[in-house]
Structures are given as C-alpha cells and as structure tokens.
Amino acid sequence: MAKLKTNSGAKKRFTLTGSGKIKRKHAYHSHILTKKTKKRKRNLDHFALVEKADLVRVKEMLVL
C-alpha cells in the first residue's frame, strides 16, 4: 500500500507541541488591521490549541 500524503495546507498551518497537542494561529490577523483595536490585534497574536471537536480532522490531514 502506498504511503499517505500529508495535506500540504495543513502542514503549513499547524505545529505539534512537545506534549502532543496541536497549535494553531488565530484568524483575522493578516489584513484590514487599521480598524481593529490594539488589544484585539495583540490577543490575536498568540497561538491557540486546536479544539477537541476538530482534533480528529486535523490529525487526519497531518497523518498522525
């Protein structure tokens, strides 16, 4: 059987932590930043963890 390929879009968007959790970036932090407050932009700057409901789909894309 052939090897499964990793989804190349997911490969660029998610990273694995040391404890096996999956990190992601926040959306809405790439453009139209002038109307967003400093506080909102600052809070979008941090990494977040992938929610439990989405973990299976993300792991399938990353072939974990």
Side-chain angles (χ1 to χ4, degrees), residues 46-59:
H46 306 297
F47 280 96
L49 295 175
V50 171
E51 289 298 322
K52 189 178 166 187
D54 300 319
L55 264 179
V56 175
R57 284 189 307 178
V58 173
K59 281 183 177 179

Side-chain angles (χ1 to χ4, degrees), residues 24-63:
R24 66 172 177 84
K25 288 186 106 173
H26 284 279
Y28 309 111
H29 192 59
S30 58
H31 68 296
I32 315 176
L33 297 172
T34 51
K35 64 175 80 171
K36 294 171 188 158
T37 63
K38 286 180 183 180
K39 180 181 179 180
R40 184 171 162 192
K41 287 185 281 190
R42 186 172 61 244
N43 288 334
L44 289 173
D45 211 18
H46 306 297
F47 280 96
L49 295 175
V50 171
E51 289 298 322
K52 189 178 166 187
D54 300 319
L55 264 179
V56 175
R57 284 189 307 178
V58 173
K59 281 183 177 179
E60 277 177 5
M61 288 191 283
L62 295 172
V63 191

Side-chain angles (χ1 to χ4, degrees), residues 3-17:
K3 289 184 178 180
L4 291 173
K5 289 191 176 181
T6 300
N7 181 302
S8 59
K11 174 170 58 177
K12 297 166 193 169
R13 287 171 171 81
F14 300 105
T15 52
L16 216 58
T17 63

